[in-house]
Amino acid sequence: MDKYVCDICAYVYDPAVGDEDADIAPGTSFDDLPEDWVCPMCGADKDSCSKVD
């Protein structure tokens, strides 16, 4: 699964880790995050993230 980086603050969403603070389980791909998910570091919306090459 691909990692995504927040273009605002450089937070990296790693699907192997998930997002514990938002109750996102490890193994959840970025595409499967809820549409209202926000970056846990800066609050930017999902559209502010880019796939890590």
Side-chain angles (χ1 to χ4, degrees):
M1 283 187 271
D2 296 316
K3 293 180 183 179
Y4 280 74
V5 63
C6 177
D7 298 328
I8 308 298
C9 73
Y11 167 81
V12 176
Y13 175 76
D14 183 349
V17 176
D19 180 0
E20 184 177 304
D21 293 337
D23 292 325
I24 305 297
T28 303
S29 72
F30 187 82
D31 291 335
D32 289 336
L33 292 175
E35 288 303 314
D36 62 350
W37 178 86
V38 295
C39 172
M41 297 295 290
C42 72
D45 62 22
K46 195 173 168 183
D47 293 336
S48 297
C49 296
S50 301
K51 185 174 160 181
V52 174
D53 292 326

